[in-house]
Amino acid sequence: MNPVFITGGTGYLGVPLIRALLEKGYQIQVLTREKSAHRVPTGARPVLGDALNAASFERYIPTGTTLVHLVGTPHPNPAKAAEFRRVDLASIRASVAAAQEARVRHFIYLSVAHPAPVMHAYIDVRREGEALVSSSGIPATYLRPWYVLGPGHRWVYALLPVYKLMGKIPATRDMALRLGTVTLAQMTAALVSAVESPPQHLRVLNVVDIRRFA
């Protein structure tokens, strides 16, 4: 059972993922800022560092680790385009550089569903992130959700009837599936499965794939 190193592990997706992996007996290291270290679940080891600076954490990543990159701007919206590049893109650059230096076995990257008629700046950054991971040559899994339903993330429930209608219309059916919602439980289960079953080269989990979990 390979150790797991998680960036963005104190957030919305990271905490339930860490708890699920701990229950399965994984050794978990979590990159965190000092002020957020208290949010790392008991049983995981906090690693103090800067997600935008590979040199601050690469030495703590054991060879053969699975690296899960979850860093991202919270509650993304079109007004945060500059932050996507300053945080999201810079952090994936740092994680890829650190992963190469540490000879990581498997890189799991939280991307986003695309193409889409909105959130172009966010999608562009995530696609650049995928390209960076691919260029590293490290076996990788990309997860491409659109919106993850869960505590504090429920406003989109009001749009579910619209999704249902779009799914019945041939011209919009594919988009409704590609940009559909997934639950936090499904995302957690998909991430755990990705950790447990590394691919030989590249694996992509889209919305329809993530929905098969949990």
Side-chain angles (χ1 to χ4, degrees):
M1 185 177 289
N2 293 312
V4 181
F5 190 97
I6 300 177
T7 66
T10 59
Y12 176 56
L13 294 176
V15 170
L17 171 62
I18 292 167
R19 288 173 176 159
L21 291 174
L22 288 171
E23 288 180 1
K24 289 179 172 288
Y26 281 90
Q27 295 181 2
I28 311 293
Q29 293 174 283
V30 183
L31 179 64
T32 180
R33 294 171 293 179
E34 186 172 3
K35 67 179 183 180
S36 299
H38 68 282
R39 297 172 60 187
V40 175
T42 301
R45 176 189 168 194
V47 173
L48 301 184
D50 179 0
L52 309 186
N53 179 7
S56 74
F57 64 90
E58 62 187 17
R59 65 186 179 277
Y60 298 110
I61 305 174
T63 299
T65 292
T66 293
L67 193 153
V68 183
H69 184 83
L70 301 177
V71 175
T73 299
H75 303 289
N77 66 67
K80 297 182 178 181
E83 191 172 352
F84 298 151
R85 303 200 72 81
R86 180 180 64 83
V87 175
D88 299 35
L89 185 56
S91 67
I92 187 60
R93 282 178 177 152
S95 284
V96 169
Q100 290 178 297
E101 183 68 22
R103 298 181 182 178
V104 160
R105 179 193 184 201
H106 178 203
F107 199 112
I108 299 175
Y109 179 48
L110 178 62
S111 187
V112 68
H114 58 267
V118 293
M119 297 292 292
H120 299 297
Y122 183 67
I123 290 170
D124 287 347
V125 162
R126 294 290 158 161
R127 293 181 72 173
E128 287 184 55
E130 290 186 8
L132 286 166
V133 177
S134 293
S135 68
S136 73
I138 300 170
T141 299
Y142 303 152
L143 290 95
R144 294 177 179 167
W146 181 247
Y147 193 90
V148 182
L149 296 168
H153 296 71
R154 299 186 184 278
W155 68 268
V156 81
Y157 273 113
L159 299 180
L160 294 184
V162 178
Y163 275 108
K164 186 174 182 179
L165 178 62
M166 290 174 61
K168 294 181 178 179
I169 301 172
T172 57
R173 184 176 298 134
D174 287 345
M175 184 170 67
L177 289 173
R178 184 175 65 253
L179 305 182
T181 61
V182 298
T183 66
L184 181 56
Q186 288 169 335
M187 275 299 301
T188 301
L191 285 163
V192 169
S193 177
V195 169
E196 293 181 317
S197 304
Q200 290 187 341
H201 301 291
L202 173 65
R203 171 177 53 210
V204 177
L205 298 178
N206 294 304
V207 167
V208 292
D209 304 307
I210 295 167
R211 285 176 171 173
R212 296 191 180 108
F213 293 92

